[in-house]
Amino acid sequence: MAIIDTMRRDIGRLRPPGWATFGRWLKRHMPTGLFTRSVLIVIIPMLLLQTVVAAVFMERHWRLVTERLSQAVTRDIAAIIEIIRIYPPASGDYSEIIRIARDKLSLTLLVEPGGQLPPPRSKPFFSILDDFLADQINQQIRLPFWIDTVGDSRLVEIRIQLDDKVLRFFTVRNQTYASNTHIFLVWMFGTSLLLIGISILFLRGQIRPILALANAAENFGKGQRMQDPFVPRGADEIRRAGIAFIQMRERIERQMEQRTAMLTGISHDLRTILTRFKLQLALARDNPDLAGMSADVDDMQSMLEGYLAFARGEAEEDFGELRLSELLEKIVMDFALHGKTMTYSIDGEDLLSVRPNAFMRLVGNLAANSQRYASHLHVDARHSAKWLTLVFDDDGPGIPEQSREDVFKPFFRLDEARNLNASGTGLGLAIVRDIARGHGGNVTLSDSPRGGLRAVVRVPA
């Protein structure tokens, strides 16, 4: 292991310092979606391949073909010039030579006695044809010349100064220049676009099952029921992941059903016993010696209801609509009945899509804690497009920082010396976090600017 660590350090020293910066920049700017990354994996190698093929083709094939075509045309022009030099027409009639050039060499020849070459033209930006023609004329003819490759898009004009006359040669551009190269490029890039389109269709078909699996897991984590049942699709690995998720979900649901059924049975048995106790106490009527027993029976019933509510977790409730303002108004009235004050503010949509009973229990438990230990509570609600955030600020004694996670544990109580009626069963905050996580969110505690405790509930909207 020491040798491996030493090698890693050596490799890190050899790596240029700019690579780390480039890697961080690339990570920040690279897309995070699986579909986009998959498309890039297909497109980038294809673009690199097309670039290399195009560069090689342009450098080798296109330049080579253009050079050979220019060489052949220049050779024909040189042959015509040699004929004129060796066999000059006695009467100055060049018609026969013009005919031979037209019929045998596909060259149009005009002879201008006493003509002069025009001034040189500026070289075109893309001057591969001019370069090759000029090189070939200098090698084969070695006479003053003038070239026009842009005056007529279909023709190329070459003028040669021969003694006291100028020979004007016109030839079709295809004879001097590989002008059909764009067809290769069109076919290459057109085929690439077609293949990329087909790849995107296949990738969408492969990504869709992954998105369905992610949505099913997210909905199950939030406790929401999907309208359409999740069915594993796609490649074998994705199907295996989907089947594993379905089996995990069935095991969890089965465990929850067994726990709920067991607690329902226990509650039925205990409620029967408690009913008997209450009946016996009622028959005993006003007996001072039984007052403590009657209070214990009430405490047992309260504990039993709290335990069942925590174990049940309101998981069987469907999502519905709830108006937050109506819920908070009820809590304001309850605070007023106990001689305490509560205020609230709502920023955003008032209508919520939650499990109504469970969410009312969540807000009620947090408000009850503040009502028990504080004199004033303010609730700040912010409902955005993605999240619902509730901030509870009170002026009570708060909770020590080292105990803020422990209070979410079932049956944990800060003051063990308090009696049951004063401090409850220790399940209030546990139920709050259970409900929040059942909605796909969470609850956190911190110090409040009012001097007490701040509880922040954040759930998906």
Side-chain angles (χ1 to χ4, degrees):
M1 293 298 293
I3 296 176
I4 295 176
D5 293 339
T6 304
M7 293 176 62
R8 288 177 177 173
R9 287 195 297 269
D10 294 340
I11 294 174
R13 295 191 192 101
L14 294 174
R15 183 181 299 171
W19 278 108
T21 304
F22 175 75
R24 289 192 296 269
W25 177 87
L26 187 63
K27 185 179 295 184
R28 287 195 304 268
H29 291 81
M30 281 292 290
T32 58
L34 178 61
F35 177 74
T36 308
R37 289 188 174 185
S38 301
V39 171
L40 289 179
I41 290 173
V42 174
I43 292 178
I44 290 177
M46 187 173 295
L47 288 179
L48 292 176
L49 176 62
Q50 300 288 2
T51 303
V52 172
V53 171
V56 172
F57 177 81
M58 302 288 279
E59 180 65 25
R60 300 290 181 86
H61 177 77
W62 188 34
R63 292 176 64 89
L64 181 61
V65 171
T66 301
E67 182 179 5
R68 290 183 177 177
L69 289 175
S70 300
Q71 183 180 10
V73 170
T74 306
R75 187 182 297 117
D76 294 340
I77 294 175
I80 296 296
I81 294 175
E82 288 297 322
I83 292 175
I84 295 176
R85 278 179 169 178
I86 298 174
Y87 305 104
S91 60
D93 184 10
Y94 295 92
S95 59
E96 194 64 24
I97 298 177
I98 293 174
R99 182 189 64 79
I100 294 174
R102 182 183 65 249
D103 297 341
K104 303 301 181 181
L105 303 177
S106 298
L107 293 173
T108 301
L109 173 60
L110 297 177
V111 180
E112 295 181 353
Q116 297 293 327
L117 294 178
R121 302 186 58 172
S122 59
K123 184 178 290 188
F125 176 76
F126 196 64
S127 59
I128 183 173
L129 178 56
D130 294 67
D131 294 338
F132 284 134
L133 278 176
D135 291 341
Q136 293 299 322
I137 292 173
N138 286 326
Q139 292 176 13
Q140 299 186 41
I141 300 176
R142 299 177 183 178
L143 292 173
F145 65 92
W146 182 86
I147 300 174
D148 181 14
T149 60
V150 297
D152 191 332
S153 60
R154 297 178 298 105
L155 299 175
V156 173
E157 181 181 359
I158 302 173
R159 300 187 186 186
I160 305 296
Q161 182 73 51
L162 181 61
D163 300 332
D164 58 346
K165 52 184 168 292
V166 172
L167 304 180
R168 299 181 62 182
F169 294 91
F170 295 88
T171 182
V172 181
R173 179 179 290 270
N174 293 340
Q175 290 183 321
T176 59
Y177 178 71
S179 58
N180 292 329
T181 306
H182 66 281
I183 298 178
F184 169 78
L185 298 177
V186 169
W187 272 100
M188 184 173 64
F189 288 107
T191 306
S192 301
L193 293 176
L194 178 62
L195 294 177
I196 290 174
I198 296 174
S199 301
I200 290 175
L201 292 178
F202 277 101
L203 285 175
R204 287 176 61 89
Q206 295 300 317
I207 297 298
R208 193 177 293 112
I210 300 177
L211 296 178
L213 175 60
N215 291 332
E218 183 178 3
N219 291 332
F220 180 68
K222 295 179 181 179
Q224 299 177 358
R225 297 179 181 178
M226 298 182 63
Q227 297 180 352
D228 299 328
F230 171 71
V231 179
R233 294 188 177 90
D236 292 339
E237 293 80 3
I238 303 176
R239 289 176 181 267
R240 289 174 56 189
I243 293 173
F245 165 74
I246 292 176
Q247 293 175 348
M248 178 194 68
R249 183 182 63 183
E250 291 176 349
R251 285 195 297 268
I252 294 175
E253 291 177 345
R254 186 164 55 248
Q255 182 181 7
M256 294 175 61
E257 291 175 358
Q258 291 175 352
R259 185 184 68 171
T260 304
M262 179 186 67
L263 291 174
T264 302
I266 294 174
S267 68
H268 180 270
D269 296 338
L270 292 180
R271 283 174 178 173
T272 302
I273 297 175
L274 288 176
T275 302
R276 292 176 183 174
F277 284 169
K278 286 186 176 182
L279 180 60
Q280 292 176 3
L281 291 173
L283 292 175
R285 297 182 181 179
D286 297 334
N287 188 342
D289 297 333
L290 300 179
M293 183 179 294
S294 178
D296 290 338
V297 170
D298 292 337
D299 290 344
M300 289 180 62
Q301 184 171 3
S302 176
M303 292 173 60
L304 178 62
E305 295 296 336
Y307 297 158
L308 290 176
F310 171 73
R312 187 169 60 247
E314 308 294 342
E316 70 278 2
E317 185 183 3
D318 292 331
F319 272 66
E321 293 183 347
L322 174 67
R323 290 202 172 273
L324 184 59
S325 59
E326 296 179 359
L327 172 60
L328 296 179
E329 281 294 336
K330 292 180 182 179
I331 299 177
V332 169
M333 296 174 61
D334 186 62
F335 265 67
L337 290 176
H338 290 81
K340 299 184 178 182
T341 59
M342 173 193 162
T343 58
Y344 68 89
S345 62
I346 300 177
D347 181 12
E349 181 63 33
D350 185 28
L351 193 63
L352 309 179
S353 177
V354 292
R355 294 192 183 93
N357 294 330
F359 197 79
M360 286 191 292
R361 187 178 184 87
L362 180 151
V363 177
N365 282 5
L366 290 175
N369 284 343
S370 298
Q371 186 186 94
R372 184 179 296 119
Y373 301 113
S375 59
H376 180 76
L377 170 67
H378 177 75
V379 179
D380 182 22
R382 295 186 294 274
H383 190 188
S384 64
K386 294 184 177 180
W387 294 95
L388 168 66
T389 305
L390 300 177
V391 181
F392 293 75
D393 286 315
D394 62 37
D395 57 356
I399 296 177
E401 184 176 357
Q402 64 272 15
S403 301
R404 287 173 185 168
E405 283 300 319
D406 294 333
V407 295
F408 289 108
K409 298 178 181 179
F411 313 115
F412 179 85
R413 294 163 62 187
L414 286 175
D415 189 358
E416 295 292 344
R418 294 177 180 172
N419 58 50
L420 182 63
N421 290 333
S423 61
T425 61
L427 291 172
L429 290 178
I431 293 175
V432 166
R433 174 165 281 186
D434 188 57
I435 295 174
R437 289 180 173 176
H439 283 78
N442 198 8
V443 181
T444 57
L445 302 179
S446 61
D447 294 326
S448 171
R450 298 177 180 270
L453 180 68
R454 164 172 284 188
V456 179
V457 180
R458 195 166 183 261
V459 297

